[in-house]
Amino acid sequence: MTTRIQSEAFDVGVEVEAFTAAQAGAGAVVSFTGIVRDVAGGLRWMELEHYPGMTEAAAEAMRQEALTRFSLTGALVIHRYGRLPPGAPIMMVATAAPHRGDAFAAAEFLMDWLKSRAPFWKKEVTETGESWVDATDADEEALGRWS
Amino acid sequence: MTTRIQSEAFDVGVEVEAFTAAQAGAGAVVSFTGIVRDVAGGLRWMELEHYPGMTEAAAEAMRQEALTRFSLTGALVIHRYGRLPPGAPIMMVATAAPHRGDAFAAAEFLMDWLKSRAPFWKKEVTETGESWVDATDADEEALGRWS
Amino acid sequence: MNVRYFAWLRERIGAASEEIETGAPTVGALVDELRARGEGHASAFADTRALRVAVDQQLASFDAPLAGVREVAFFPPMTGG
Amino acid sequence: MNVRYFAWLRERIGAASEEIETGAPTVGALVDELRARGEGHASAFADTRALRVAVDQQLASFDAPLAGVREVAFFPPMTGG
């Protein structure tokens, strides 16, 4: 399974190691890990809501699109939902390719799409209340470079 | 030590995990791993020669330049020398930043510079002989985007 | 038809999903019907430019037809990654 | 002055380093002296456009001055990463 949507924590090192070991013919492996940040201070946790069924299908479709668009030997997507404390990995992607350009581009492509098109919604729960995180124009605009 | 030039093998998963755990305030961690590829078939090993002293200083200077140029919480460079079998990790970089754009750009910046300006030379040892790997125009041109 | 809500839409409407009998030909027509269900709905659908819609779990537009559709979901712009 | 060679330069010259007495004012003048040391050297330095040079472990150009320099290294373009 190379697209996983899960509430359980995952171990970045274990995932990168296993992914890398499985890539025959790759000269380049790129991994990206997104981590819960306490930007303003006082963050108790981040609550990630998702759309069961659609989330898995959308993330897998993006992974397949990356495999089609770039010359890769493999790609991995892991994304958590539920309650995530500051410092916890939220998600990761890993890409492997014969050449580094494809591996980097595919990882950025997957991140840009997952940010704005995978059905996840983040809510920040702080000591003083809770609020939904707004989508940013920058994340939306990042998609433009792949069209 | 966040720049390491060594003959010993390293464990990509262990390094990514330790690097990630050490980054306070990071929302994004990118890692790149370069792996020995048997492109033509029959590769027995890759022999990496380096320039002791200059290699360490050059790689550390590139890491410092990445920290200056991008908004990072940290950066790691590991590069092996000596005899490396097909499938072995040759080198890795890891970068961490509040935002993913900086982490990706810094990792690509480090790779482009290490490829063409760190004093390493690769020799392929195959079943039928040995030959030095030529530098490519593409690697040289990749530096242009950072000037 | 099963209508689902996520994030602040779900909170404002006070339900994660509703089973709705409708003859609405498009998503937009369905939104007009939903708005009439009460204050929560009216508030949630006040500005559809701030909303996204999925039809049978595929992202769609507000003029998408609903013939044969089993599930429609409304939500704010996604913030994954 | 310590002169060092790497990769195929080292192989062609048959030495990783040489201790050389020279009054050459620049890298280019040093190359001219080295070429005269024998066939291996002449072959190694036949086309300096294919070579790189480091002066006291800093990348330099072939017109770099050598006053006060302790170590000069010649090598082909690097192929790390």
Side-chain angles (χ1 to χ4, degrees):
Chain A
M1 279 289 285
T2 40
T3 295
R4 286 156 41 196
I5 310 299
Q6 62 186 45
S7 62
E8 301 77 39
F10 62 91
D11 183 316
V12 174
V14 169
E15 299 296 343
V16 170
E17 188 77 30
F19 177 78
T20 302
Q23 302 306 316
V29 177
V30 169
S31 76
F32 176 93
T33 309
I35 295 166
V36 178
R37 262 196 330 146
D38 184 2
V39 177
L43 181 70
R44 295 174 68 197
W45 67 78
M46 191 81 85
E47 187 77 35
L48 257 101
E49 185 169 335
H50 80 303
Y51 187 165
M54 180 174 166
T55 307
E56 288 80 355
E60 174 63 14
M62 292 169 196
R63 200 182 70 84
Q64 291 294 339
E65 175 64 21
L67 290 167
T68 301
R69 189 183 275 244
F70 304 99
S71 185
L72 303 180
T73 62
L76 168 71
V77 173
I78 303 174
H79 207 304
R80 292 182 67 188
Y81 58 87
R83 184 178 294 191
L84 303 174
I90 305 174
M91 53 83 63
M92 69 171 286
V93 303
T95 55
H99 302 289
R100 74 184 187 285
D102 285 303
F104 272 119
E108 294 205 60
F109 172 87
L110 280 170
M111 285 310 306
D112 287 348
W113 280 91
L114 289 165
K115 276 265 171 192
S116 300
R117 291 293 181 274
F120 288 100
W121 301 273
K122 287 196 188 91
K123 179 195 263 181
E124 290 177 338
V125 180
T126 71
E127 285 154 15
T128 55
E130 51 180 59
S131 63
W132 291 98
V133 174
D134 282 331
T136 69
D137 290 343
D139 281 337
E140 187 64 33
E141 285 157 13
L143 288 178
R145 60 175 157 161
W146 306 111
S147 59
Chain B
M1 280 289 284
T2 40
T3 293
R4 285 156 43 195
I5 311 298
Q6 62 187 44
S7 62
E8 302 75 40
F10 62 90
D11 184 314
V12 174
V14 169
E15 299 296 344
V16 170
E17 189 76 30
F19 177 78
T20 302
Q23 303 305 316
V29 176
V30 169
S31 75
F32 176 92
T33 308
I35 295 167
V36 178
R37 260 196 331 147
D38 184 3
V39 178
L43 181 70
R44 294 175 66 196
W45 67 78
M46 191 81 83
E47 186 78 34
L48 256 102
E49 184 168 335
H50 80 304
Y51 186 165
M54 179 173 167
T55 306
E56 288 80 355
E60 175 60 14
M62 290 170 197
R63 199 182 70 86
Q64 292 294 341
E65 174 65 20
L67 290 167
T68 301
R69 189 183 276 244
F70 304 98
S71 184
L72 303 180
T73 62
L76 168 72
V77 173
I78 303 174
H79 206 305
R80 293 184 67 189
Y81 57 86
R83 184 178 294 191
L84 303 174
I90 303 174
M91 53 82 64
M92 68 171 286
V93 304
T95 55
H99 301 288
R100 74 184 188 283
D102 285 303
F104 272 119
E108 294 203 62
F109 171 87
L110 281 170
M111 285 310 306
D112 287 349
W113 281 91
L114 289 166
K115 276 264 170 191
S116 299
R117 291 292 182 275
F120 288 100
W121 301 273
K122 286 196 188 92
K123 180 195 259 182
E124 289 177 338
V125 180
T126 68
E127 285 155 16
T128 54
E130 52 181 59
S131 63
W132 291 97
V133 174
D134 283 329
T136 68
D137 290 342
D139 282 336
E140 187 64 31
E141 285 157 14
L143 288 177
R145 61 175 157 161
W146 306 110
S147 61
Chain C
M1 179 183 294
N2 188 30
V3 180
R4 303 180 68 163
Y5 309 112
F6 292 94
W8 59 255
L9 239 81
R10 174 179 51 70
E11 292 179 338
R12 211 169 280 186
I13 287 168
S17 72
E18 300 180 289
E19 203 53 44
I20 287 183
E21 301 282 328
T22 178
T26 66
V27 170
L30 174 63
V31 167
D32 289 337
E33 287 181 17
L34 293 170
R35 272 199 195 104
R37 290 174 80 91
E39 274 184 33
H41 288 75
S43 153
F45 288 105
D47 181 6
T48 53
R49 289 171 306 179
L51 300 184
R52 301 288 180 268
V53 59
V55 171
D56 282 340
Q57 304 198 356
Q58 298 281 340
L59 288 174
S61 62
F62 281 78
D63 55 8
L66 292 183
V69 165
R70 289 187 294 184
E71 182 171 295
V72 176
F74 296 99
F75 38 78
M78 294 85 124
T79 54
Chain D
M1 178 181 295
N2 188 29
V3 180
R4 303 180 66 161
Y5 309 111
F6 292 93
W8 58 255
L9 239 81
R10 174 180 52 68
E11 292 179 339
R12 212 170 281 185
I13 288 167
S17 72
E18 299 179 291
E19 203 52 46
I20 288 183
E21 301 281 330
T22 177
T26 64
V27 170
L30 174 63
V31 167
D32 289 338
E33 287 183 16
L34 292 170
R35 273 201 194 100
R37 290 174 78 90
E39 272 185 36
H41 288 76
S43 153
F45 287 105
D47 180 6
T48 52
R49 288 171 306 179
L51 300 183
R52 300 287 179 269
V53 60
V55 171
D56 282 339
Q57 304 197 358
Q58 299 282 339
L59 288 174
S61 62
F62 280 79
D63 55 9
L66 292 183
V69 164
R70 290 187 295 185
E71 182 170 297
V72 175
F74 296 98
F75 39 80
M78 294 86 125
T79 53

